[in-house]
Amino acid sequence: MKNAFTISICCFSLISAASAAAIPWWEQATVCKLDTTKCYPSMGTGYASELWDSVTGCWGMKYICPEALLSDEYMPVPMGRKEISAGTNINKDFNTDILNGDCFGVRKTTNNGAMASINGEYIPVWCNGILNDVDEYLENGEITYGAQPTCQDLADYGYVATVNGQCYGKYYDPYNYYIECDGSSITPSRIIILNGADYMASSDSSPSDESAASKLFDSMQSISESQRKIYFTND
């Protein structure tokens, strides 16, 4: 009985060894393998699916755009999930959840894209062609990192610092409007409809006081009445 049991064990060992020999060595259970878990459910443009994120223990990294990084880079940089979550080397003015071409990272905006984040503060995105010095072009317009244009800077070209769609800078034809700035605000104190008047013309002929104004009004009313009798005889 003992011999029979020993023979059975030997036969089982031979069968197991034969089965193991049929499996390639790199697929056998005793061989350590990297986890096939993916870091992201789907990875296309903007992802390095062939890179192993050793910190998180999964396949795939995001390419972060160079302008979204604090370090000087010329090409997108692959980064792991925990590194991105911690904000390591990432400019806080950028959103790395949004794809920007072939990498992730677009400047944060608000007010339907009319304001952009610079150093943690939101500044106007000016409509194309308004700024003299442009530091960066965005989807809705242009921004400058330095001092923003004053009310008078804009008024000289017929513009007012108000939202115009998804950017700042509404145009008022100087022949029809006069933009008045008080110097303390980026927005004008008044916008005057000219109705054909020349706001630069001298006002010397204007009535000097209430009595003169009343006489001028009486004269205008008299002329109007006489003209009405001529042209509206059926009244």
Side-chain angles (χ1 to χ4, degrees):
M1 189 69 177
K2 183 177 180 181
N3 291 337
F5 179 73
T6 303
I7 292 170
S8 296
I9 296 252
C10 290
C11 290
F12 178 77
S13 299
L14 290 171
I15 292 170
S16 298
S19 299
I23 301 174
W25 68 266
W26 59 86
E27 293 183 2
Q28 293 185 22
T30 55
V31 177
C32 294
K33 308 181 198 57
L34 289 175
D35 192 346
T36 57
T37 304
K38 293 181 178 180
C39 297
Y40 303 95
S42 60
M43 291 182 282
T45 303
Y47 292 92
S49 58
E50 75 284 358
L51 295 182
W52 175 252
D53 186 348
S54 59
V55 177
T56 311
C58 55
W59 283 103
M61 290 188 176
K62 272 185 177 181
Y63 280 114
I64 304 302
C65 299
E67 56 267 28
L69 299 172
L70 296 176
S71 58
D72 293 331
E73 305 289 346
Y74 297 96
M75 297 291 291
V77 175
M79 297 179 69
R81 291 194 300 178
K82 285 190 176 180
E83 191 178 11
I84 294 173
S85 178
T88 305
N89 193 35
I90 293 178
N91 188 330
K92 297 187 182 300
D93 290 323
F94 284 78
N95 186 343
T96 54
D97 292 329
I98 301 177
L99 186 65
N100 183 12
D102 59 355
C103 55
F104 284 87
V106 297
R107 189 172 290 281
K108 294 177 182 177
T109 60
T110 188
N111 197 17
N112 202 25
M115 301 283 287
S117 179
I118 297 291
N119 297 324
E121 298 183 0
Y122 283 92
I123 64 169
V125 175
W126 298 99
C127 298
N128 293 323
I130 292 179
L131 293 177
N132 291 326
D133 298 314
V134 180
D135 289 314
E136 187 176 331
Y137 295 92
L138 301 181
E139 181 179 359
N140 295 339
E142 310 162 342
I143 60 174
T144 177
Y145 302 152
Q148 301 302 307
T150 65
C151 174
Q152 195 58 56
D153 290 337
L154 298 168
D156 289 343
Y157 295 95
Y159 285 99
V160 169
T162 188
V163 177
N164 181 15
Q166 295 178 303
C167 56
Y168 275 80
K170 190 171 182 180
Y171 181 72
Y172 286 84
D173 190 338
Y175 288 101
N176 298 318
Y177 300 92
Y178 173 62
I179 302 169
E180 184 175 272
C181 300
D182 61 12
S184 62
S185 173
I186 194 172
T187 55
S189 54
R190 289 189 299 179
I191 299 177
I192 303 170
I193 302 175
L194 299 177
N195 286 330
D198 182 2
Y199 66 90
M200 297 297 291
S202 172
S203 59
D204 293 342
S205 60
S206 300
S208 58
D209 53 28
E210 185 177 350
S211 176
S214 295
K215 289 181 179 179
L216 177 61
F217 179 78
D218 290 342
S219 173
M220 293 169 61
Q221 186 179 35
S222 175
I223 293 173
S224 177
E225 180 66 21
S226 62
Q227 293 295 309
R228 188 184 70 81
K229 290 180 179 179
I230 295 172
Y231 296 104
F232 297 93
T233 55
N234 293 329
D235 287 0

